[in-house]
Amino acid sequence: MAASVADPIALSPELLIAPGPQAAVALKSATTTIPIVFVSVAAPVKLGLVQSLSRPGGNVTGLSTMVPDDFLAKRLEILRELVPGASKIALLVNPSNPMQRLYLAEDVPRIGRELGVALLPVEAATADELDVAFASAAAQHADAIVDFGDTLTYLQAPRIIALAAKYRLPANYLFRHYADGGLSVYGTDARDLFRRAASYVDKILKGTKPSDLPVERPTKFELVINMKTAKALGLTVPPSLLIRADEVIE
Protein backbone atom coordinates (compact mmCIF):
# COMPACT_ATOMS: atom_id res chain seq x y z
CA MET A 1 0.00 0.00 0.00
CA ALA A 2 2.89 2.39 0.77
CA ALA A 3 4.17 2.30 -2.81
CA SER A 4 0.71 2.86 -4.28
CA VAL A 5 0.11 5.82 -1.93
CA ALA A 6 3.38 7.49 -2.91
CA ASP A 7 2.30 7.92 -6.53
CA PRO A 8 -0.78 10.13 -5.94
CA ILE A 9 1.01 12.07 -3.19
CA ALA A 10 3.84 12.85 -5.61
CA LEU A 11 1.34 14.52 -7.95
CA SER A 12 0.54 17.12 -5.26
CA PRO A 13 -3.24 16.86 -5.74
CA GLU A 14 -5.68 19.34 -4.23
CA LEU A 15 -7.58 16.51 -2.56
CA LEU A 16 -7.46 12.74 -2.06
CA ILE A 17 -10.39 10.30 -1.84
CA ALA A 18 -9.92 7.15 0.22
CA PRO A 19 -12.41 4.31 -0.40
CA GLY A 20 -12.18 2.10 2.69
CA PRO A 21 -10.04 1.93 5.83
CA GLN A 22 -6.82 0.60 4.29
CA ALA A 23 -6.58 3.49 1.85
CA ALA A 24 -7.60 6.05 4.47
CA VAL A 25 -4.99 4.92 7.00
CA ALA A 26 -2.26 4.75 4.36
CA LEU A 27 -3.04 8.22 2.97
CA LYS A 28 -3.24 9.81 6.41
CA SER A 29 0.17 8.37 7.29
CA ALA A 30 1.58 9.85 4.08
CA THR A 31 0.35 13.46 4.34
CA THR A 32 -0.88 15.88 6.98
CA THR A 33 -1.52 18.72 4.54
CA ILE A 34 -3.47 17.37 1.54
CA PRO A 35 -7.20 17.12 2.37
CA ILE A 36 -8.49 13.53 2.49
CA VAL A 37 -12.13 12.48 2.15
CA PHE A 38 -12.75 8.86 3.15
CA VAL A 39 -15.79 6.78 2.24
CA SER A 40 -17.00 3.59 3.94
CA VAL A 41 -14.85 3.53 7.08
CA ALA A 42 -16.66 1.91 9.98
CA ALA A 43 -14.92 3.56 12.96
CA PRO A 44 -12.63 6.43 11.95
CA VAL A 45 -12.04 7.52 15.55
CA LYS A 46 -10.79 4.09 16.63
CA LEU A 47 -8.49 4.00 13.62
CA GLY A 48 -7.00 7.38 14.50
CA LEU A 49 -8.21 9.06 11.32
CA VAL A 50 -10.10 11.79 13.18
CA GLN A 51 -10.22 13.07 16.75
CA SER A 52 -14.01 12.80 16.89
CA LEU A 53 -16.92 12.58 14.48
CA SER A 54 -18.10 16.11 15.20
CA ARG A 55 -14.61 17.66 15.21
CA PRO A 56 -12.24 15.75 12.92
CA GLY A 57 -9.36 18.05 13.87
CA GLY A 58 -6.98 17.49 10.96
CA ASN A 59 -6.81 17.07 7.21
CA VAL A 60 -9.19 14.09 7.14
CA THR A 61 -13.00 13.81 7.12
CA GLY A 62 -15.62 11.85 5.24
CA LEU A 63 -18.48 9.37 5.36
CA SER A 64 -18.52 6.63 7.97
CA THR A 65 -20.39 3.36 7.91
CA MET A 66 -20.58 3.55 11.70
CA VAL A 67 -23.90 2.18 12.84
CA PRO A 68 -25.22 0.88 16.19
CA ASP A 69 -23.03 -1.74 17.84
CA ASP A 70 -25.53 -4.49 17.09
CA PHE A 71 -25.15 -4.17 13.30
CA LEU A 72 -23.28 -7.48 13.01
CA ALA A 73 -25.89 -9.00 15.29
CA LYS A 74 -28.61 -7.91 12.87
CA ARG A 75 -26.78 -9.58 9.99
CA LEU A 76 -26.42 -12.76 12.03
CA GLU A 77 -30.10 -12.70 12.93
CA ILE A 78 -31.03 -12.46 9.25
CA LEU A 79 -29.01 -15.60 8.60
CA ARG A 80 -30.58 -17.39 11.53
CA GLU A 81 -34.03 -16.54 10.18
CA LEU A 82 -32.95 -18.11 6.90
CA VAL A 83 -31.23 -21.04 8.61
CA PRO A 84 -33.15 -21.78 11.82
CA GLY A 85 -30.98 -23.45 14.40
CA ALA A 86 -27.69 -22.21 12.93
CA SER A 87 -25.17 -22.43 15.76
CA LYS A 88 -21.88 -21.96 13.88
CA ILE A 89 -21.44 -19.01 11.55
CA ALA A 90 -18.21 -18.26 9.74
CA LEU A 91 -16.96 -14.68 9.38
CA LEU A 92 -15.04 -13.94 6.18
CA VAL A 93 -12.45 -11.33 7.17
CA ASN A 94 -9.44 -9.66 5.60
CA PRO A 95 -6.58 -9.63 8.16
CA SER A 96 -4.97 -6.67 6.34
CA ASN A 97 -8.05 -4.55 7.01
CA PRO A 98 -7.32 -2.60 10.24
CA MET A 99 -11.00 -2.02 10.99
CA GLN A 100 -11.79 -5.72 10.81
CA ARG A 101 -8.89 -6.57 13.12
CA LEU A 102 -10.27 -4.15 15.70
CA TYR A 103 -13.78 -5.49 15.37
CA LEU A 104 -12.65 -9.09 15.73
CA ALA A 105 -10.75 -8.27 18.91
CA GLU A 106 -13.28 -5.99 20.59
CA ASP A 107 -16.82 -6.83 19.47
CA VAL A 108 -17.08 -10.28 17.90
CA PRO A 109 -16.53 -12.30 21.11
CA ARG A 110 -19.21 -10.27 22.92
CA ILE A 111 -21.75 -10.59 20.12
CA GLY A 112 -21.16 -14.33 19.89
CA ARG A 113 -21.81 -14.73 23.61
CA GLU A 114 -24.94 -12.56 23.54
CA LEU A 115 -26.45 -14.47 20.62
CA GLY A 116 -25.29 -17.89 21.81
CA VAL A 117 -23.63 -18.65 18.48
CA ALA A 118 -20.08 -19.75 17.66
CA LEU A 119 -18.46 -17.20 15.34
CA LEU A 120 -15.63 -18.69 13.28
CA PRO A 121 -13.27 -16.19 11.60
CA VAL A 122 -11.85 -17.40 8.27
CA GLU A 123 -9.24 -15.14 6.69
CA ALA A 124 -8.41 -14.06 3.16
CA ALA A 125 -6.02 -11.21 2.33
CA THR A 126 -5.77 -12.10 -1.37
CA ALA A 127 -8.16 -13.44 -4.01
CA ASP A 128 -6.46 -16.84 -4.02
CA GLU A 129 -6.91 -17.18 -0.26
CA LEU A 130 -10.69 -16.98 -0.62
CA ASP A 131 -10.82 -20.62 -1.67
CA VAL A 132 -8.92 -21.63 1.46
CA ALA A 133 -11.17 -19.51 3.65
CA PHE A 134 -14.36 -21.14 2.37
CA ALA A 135 -12.83 -24.60 2.61
CA SER A 136 -11.95 -23.81 6.23
CA ALA A 137 -15.52 -22.69 6.96
CA ALA A 138 -16.85 -25.97 5.52
CA ALA A 139 -14.28 -28.02 7.43
CA GLN A 140 -15.44 -26.38 10.68
CA HIS A 141 -19.03 -27.33 9.79
CA ALA A 142 -20.24 -23.74 9.62
CA ASP A 143 -24.00 -23.45 9.07
CA ALA A 144 -23.65 -20.11 7.24
CA ILE A 145 -21.18 -17.31 6.51
CA VAL A 146 -21.04 -13.53 6.85
CA ASP A 147 -18.80 -11.55 4.52
CA PHE A 148 -17.56 -8.63 6.62
CA GLY A 149 -17.00 -6.69 3.41
CA ASP A 150 -14.02 -4.65 2.25
CA THR A 151 -12.26 -3.69 -0.98
CA LEU A 152 -10.96 -7.22 -1.64
CA THR A 153 -14.29 -8.96 -1.21
CA TYR A 154 -16.16 -6.18 -3.04
CA LEU A 155 -14.00 -6.74 -6.12
CA GLN A 156 -14.16 -10.53 -5.77
CA ALA A 157 -17.94 -10.73 -5.37
CA PRO A 158 -18.55 -13.21 -8.24
CA ARG A 159 -15.88 -15.56 -6.90
CA ILE A 160 -17.25 -15.36 -3.36
CA ILE A 161 -20.82 -16.01 -4.50
CA ALA A 162 -19.60 -19.04 -6.47
CA LEU A 163 -17.69 -20.37 -3.45
CA ALA A 164 -20.74 -19.97 -1.20
CA ALA A 165 -22.74 -21.98 -3.74
CA LYS A 166 -20.00 -24.62 -4.05
CA TYR A 167 -19.91 -25.23 -0.30
CA ARG A 168 -23.67 -24.67 0.09
CA LEU A 169 -23.13 -21.96 2.69
CA PRO A 170 -26.03 -19.54 3.14
CA ALA A 171 -24.40 -16.12 3.16
CA ASN A 172 -25.04 -12.53 4.12
CA TYR A 173 -23.17 -9.77 2.32
CA LEU A 174 -22.59 -6.07 2.95
CA PHE A 175 -22.92 -4.58 -0.53
CA ARG A 176 -25.88 -4.43 -2.92
CA HIS A 177 -24.05 -5.82 -5.96
CA TYR A 178 -23.78 -9.22 -4.22
CA ALA A 179 -27.52 -9.62 -4.66
CA ASP A 180 -26.95 -10.91 -8.20
CA GLY A 181 -26.56 -14.50 -7.04
CA GLY A 182 -25.91 -13.86 -3.35
CA LEU A 183 -28.50 -15.06 -0.84
CA SER A 184 -28.91 -11.95 1.28
CA VAL A 185 -27.54 -8.43 1.61
CA TYR A 186 -27.79 -6.10 4.57
CA GLY A 187 -25.68 -2.98 4.72
CA THR A 188 -25.33 0.71 4.09
CA ASP A 189 -26.21 2.08 0.68
CA ALA A 190 -22.68 2.58 -0.72
CA ARG A 191 -23.96 4.56 -3.70
CA ASP A 192 -25.55 7.08 -1.35
CA LEU A 193 -22.30 7.43 0.61
CA PHE A 194 -20.30 8.24 -2.52
CA ARG A 195 -22.94 10.73 -3.68
CA ARG A 196 -22.73 12.48 -0.33
CA ALA A 197 -18.92 12.42 -0.46
CA ALA A 198 -19.10 14.48 -3.65
CA SER A 199 -20.55 17.39 -1.66
CA TYR A 200 -17.61 17.21 0.76
CA VAL A 201 -15.19 17.29 -2.16
CA ASP A 202 -16.98 20.33 -3.55
CA LYS A 203 -16.89 22.19 -0.23
CA ILE A 204 -13.20 21.48 0.37
CA LEU A 205 -12.19 22.54 -3.14
CA LYS A 206 -14.09 25.79 -2.51
CA GLY A 207 -12.07 26.47 0.63
CA THR A 208 -13.70 24.67 3.55
CA LYS A 209 -11.22 22.91 5.83
CA PRO A 210 -11.71 19.16 6.44
CA SER A 211 -11.52 19.88 10.18
CA ASP A 212 -14.69 21.99 9.84
CA LEU A 213 -16.69 19.19 8.19
CA PRO A 214 -18.05 16.65 10.70
CA VAL A 215 -17.86 12.99 9.76
CA GLU A 216 -21.31 11.89 8.62
CA ARG A 217 -22.94 8.54 9.30
CA PRO A 218 -25.03 6.49 6.87
CA THR A 219 -28.73 7.22 6.60
CA LYS A 220 -29.79 4.58 4.06
CA PHE A 221 -29.61 0.81 4.48
CA GLU A 222 -30.60 -2.05 2.19
CA LEU A 223 -31.99 -5.51 2.88
CA VAL A 224 -32.13 -7.68 -0.24
CA ILE A 225 -33.17 -11.34 -0.45
CA ASN A 226 -32.49 -13.53 -3.49
CA MET A 227 -35.23 -16.15 -3.69
CA LYS A 228 -33.52 -18.05 -6.51
CA THR A 229 -30.48 -18.65 -4.34
CA ALA A 230 -32.64 -19.55 -1.35
CA LYS A 231 -34.41 -22.18 -3.45
CA ALA A 232 -31.10 -23.58 -4.73
CA LEU A 233 -29.98 -23.98 -1.10
CA GLY A 234 -33.27 -25.57 -0.08
CA LEU A 235 -34.15 -22.71 2.24
CA THR A 236 -37.60 -21.39 3.10
CA VAL A 237 -37.61 -17.62 3.49
CA PRO A 238 -40.00 -16.61 6.29
CA PRO A 239 -42.68 -14.03 5.39
CA SER A 240 -41.50 -11.81 8.24
CA LEU A 241 -38.15 -11.39 6.48
CA LEU A 242 -39.70 -10.81 3.07
CA ILE A 243 -41.89 -8.04 4.50
CA ARG A 244 -38.83 -6.20 5.86
CA ALA A 245 -36.83 -6.56 2.64
CA ASP A 246 -36.25 -3.50 0.46
CA GLU A 247 -35.99 -5.79 -2.55
CA VAL A 248 -36.83 -9.44 -3.23
CA ILE A 249 -35.23 -11.02 -6.28
CA GLU A 250 -37.50 -13.73 -7.67
Side-chain angles (χ1 to χ4, degrees):
M1 181 66 78
S4 61
V5 164
D7 293 336
I9 296 294
L11 297 174
S12 300
E14 294 182 61
L15 182 143
L16 294 160
I17 296 177
Q22 294 102 311
V25 169
L27 288 173
K28 178 177 170 59
S29 68
T31 177
T32 58
T33 56
I34 301 173
I36 299 168
V37 175
F38 61 76
V39 186
S40 294
V41 175
V45 177
K46 285 186 178 182
L47 288 180
L49 294 173
V50 296
Q51 293 177 12
S52 71
L53 298 184
S54 60
R55 297 180 180 276
N59 64 317
V60 183
T61 189
L63 284 296
S64 170
T65 57
M66 181 178 287
V67 290
D69 291 339
D70 63 352
F71 185 65
L72 174 61
K74 290 181 180 178
R75 298 181 68 193
L76 294 168
E77 287 167 0
I78 289 168
L79 276 177
R80 295 216 292 181
E81 286 186 68
L82 290 164
V83 189
S87 60
K88 292 183 179 180
I89 298 179
L91 305 176
L92 178 61
V93 299
N94 182 347
S96 68
N97 184 319
M99 191 63 254
Q100 293 186 10
R101 291 199 304 268
L102 278 173
Y103 205 72
L104 281 173
E106 297 180 5
D107 296 299
V108 167
R110 171 184 57 79
I111 292 171
R113 288 194 301 271
E114 290 176 355
L115 294 181
V117 61
L119 300 178
L120 315 171
V122 292
E123 298 184 349
T126 67
D128 289 340
E129 290 176 358
L130 290 169
D131 300 71
V132 177
F134 271 84
S136 174
Q140 296 180 74
H141 304 291
D143 299 306
I145 189 166
V146 169
D147 174 10
F148 258 39
D150 76 341
T151 303
L152 170 68
T153 55
Y154 185 93
L155 295 174
Q156 294 295 322
R159 186 171 188 167
I160 291 171
I161 291 168
L163 285 166
K166 174 183 176 180
Y167 289 100
R168 297 190 62 79
L169 280 170
N172 180 264
Y173 304 101
L174 190 61
F175 302 111
R176 171 63 182 78
H177 75 305
Y178 281 92
D180 183 15
L183 174 63
S184 64
V185 173
Y186 183 65
T188 57
D189 185 335
R191 294 165 297 184
D192 180 62
L193 290 181
F194 277 95
R195 282 194 295 266
R196 290 164 60 191
S199 69
Y200 269 35
V201 171
D202 180 62
K203 290 175 182 177
I204 291 170
L205 292 179
K206 289 179 178 176
T208 304
K209 296 179 181 179
S211 58
D212 293 332
L213 292 172
V215 174
E216 291 190 359
R217 300 186 183 193
T219 56
K220 294 183 178 181
F221 300 85
E222 296 178 299
L223 171 59
V224 185
I225 304 295
N226 190 314
M227 295 296 287
K228 292 181 181 179
T229 303
K231 183 177 180 180
L233 292 169
L235 301 175
T236 299
V237 182
S240 59
L241 190 59
L242 293 175
I243 290 172
R244 302 201 310 272
D246 298 287
E247 182 178 354
V248 177
I249 298 174
E250 297 292 348

